[in-house]
Amino acid sequence: LMKRTMLLSEWDRESYLVPSLLRDTYVIPKAGISGHRCVYDFSLCFLPSGVFQRLLCLCVELSSRSGGNTNLKLYKNFASIKLKLGVVHLLENTEAQTISVYVEKAHSEAKILNVIQSMLLKVNHDVMGAGLAWSTYVENTATKELVRLSEAQEQKLSPWFNSDDQQETEKISSQSVDLDTFLESLS
């Protein structure tokens, strides 16, 4: 039941991760977090408890399927996870009602954006009764300012939308799909 509701994920063949049991809080270093930033802003409604933990479970499960779940850094509000596409840092800010995603590997930003958006849609559909609402922003790497996703698409803002043949950000369908099938579609 916990796996189906995304509150537990398989760490390896012998261990499981239950993110709600993580107690240490990550303190952002003065140098900041490395990578290109994408922010999911839930402040128009609110960010319910458990959304970040479910996103973390999906990322850890996806990482374990590609053999990349060694050297994970896991905290109550932060995770550093190696996905097949590259290292991703997730940061929850409950005060600001945001989840920030930092992508380290160049040229994988658009793909990781699609994966994380698809995961959030899966959580929203399967667990939250489609009641979550959020705005998505990506970082302009030149100015370090956040730009609304739709504006970034129009501007073909690099590195999020950097090729002429790249279509609109497509989210992988998550409705009426079991969790294993969904995770396989992201691999």
Side-chain angles (χ1 to χ4, degrees):
L1 179 64
M2 286 182 72
K3 187 172 182 179
R4 194 172 62 237
T5 58
M6 300 171 241
L7 292 171
L8 166 144
S9 62
E10 199 168 318
W11 183 286
D12 57 34
R13 296 201 186 278
E14 299 172 8
S15 309
Y16 294 90
L17 169 68
V18 181
S20 60
L21 297 177
L22 296 170
R23 296 289 171 228
D24 294 335
T25 301
Y26 182 75
V27 179
I28 300 172
K30 287 182 182 179
I33 300 171
S34 62
H36 295 119
R37 180 173 51 139
C38 172
V39 176
Y40 298 93
D41 183 356
F42 295 82
S43 65
L44 290 176
C45 292
F46 82 108
L47 176 59
S49 179
V51 172
F52 178 78
Q53 290 79 7
R54 286 176 169 93
L55 183 61
L56 176 56
C57 274
L58 289 171
C59 286
V60 168
E61 185 82 26
L62 187 61
S63 175
S64 71
R65 288 169 182 246
S66 63
N69 65 345
T70 56
N71 297 323
L72 297 177
K73 293 180 185 171
L74 302 172
Y75 295 84
K76 180 181 178 178
N77 64 330
F78 176 83
S80 181
I81 302 169
K82 183 178 180 186
L83 300 178
K84 189 176 186 179
L85 298 167
V87 176
V88 175
H89 308 290
L90 305 171
L91 176 68
E92 179 186 37
N93 183 333
T94 52
E95 208 170 284
Q97 300 285 289
T98 61
I99 295 175
S100 297
V101 178
Y102 297 82
V103 182
E104 276 193 19
K105 185 178 175 188
H107 309 297
S108 65
E109 295 88 352
K111 289 179 182 175
I112 289 176
L113 175 68
N114 281 337
V115 167
I116 300 297
Q117 284 187 163
S118 296
M119 288 177 173
L120 283 172
L121 287 170
K122 181 73 172 161
V123 169
N124 191 24
H125 180 266
D126 288 10
V127 183
M128 300 296 169
L132 287 178
W134 64 86
S135 299
T136 306
Y137 299 89
V138 293
E139 184 178 56
N140 180 328
T141 55
T143 64
K144 300 295 182 198
E145 292 178 3
L146 292 175
V147 178
R148 187 174 290 277
L149 184 63
S150 57
E151 293 172 26
Q153 282 177 315
E154 288 172 18
Q155 298 171 14
K156 295 188 178 180
L157 186 65
S158 180
W160 308 99
F161 304 96
N162 55 2
S163 69
D164 292 332
D165 60 353
Q166 185 175 3
Q167 298 176 349
E168 261 189 50
T169 312
E170 289 185 30
K171 295 158 211 76
I172 297 161
S173 177
S174 62
Q175 295 188 2
S176 305
V177 175
D178 69 84
L179 194 55
D180 285 325
T181 303
F182 172 72
L183 289 166
E184 283 301 316
S185 73
L186 296 176
S187 299

